[in-house]
């Protein structure tokens, strides 16, 4: 995966984190829980995609720290 794609995925996570602030103020508890679960799954999937891509390139070593 090109670095541009990785950056786009990370920017997507940043946007989802901003959405979490909005969801935290949502008054309907059931709706809030459902949206939080969806956002959490999306963030997790996106992060796993970036990790997989970096590991494929051999960048998962100490130099990443």
């Amino acid at each position: 995966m090109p670095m541009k794609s990785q950056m786009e995925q990370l920017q997507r996570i940043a946007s989802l984190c901003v959405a979490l602030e909005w969801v935290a103020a949502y008054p309907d508890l059931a709706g809030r829980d459902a949206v939080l679960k969806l956002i959490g799954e999306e963030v997790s999937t996106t992060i796993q995609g970036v990790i997989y891509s970096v590991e494929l390139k051999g960048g998962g070593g100490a130099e990443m720290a």
Side-chain angles (χ1 to χ4, degrees):
M1 175 182 295
M3 180 63 79
K4 180 181 178 188
S5 295
Q6 293 169 352
M7 291 305 297
E8 288 172 354
Q9 287 183 317
L10 293 173
Q11 289 170 346
R12 179 176 172 88
I13 291 171
S15 296
L16 289 168
C17 289
V18 170
L20 285 175
E21 293 178 22
W22 178 83
V23 172
Y26 194 71
D28 178 18
L29 292 178
R32 182 184 328 165
D33 289 344
V35 174
L36 287 175
K37 183 176 179 179
L38 288 172
I39 290 174
E41 290 172 0
E42 187 67 28
V43 168
S44 179
T45 300
T46 303
I47 290 172
Q48 289 303 316
V50 172
I51 290 170
Y52 178 76
S53 174
V54 170
E55 287 177 344
L56 279 180
K57 291 180 179 182
E63 64 276 1
M64 292 296 289

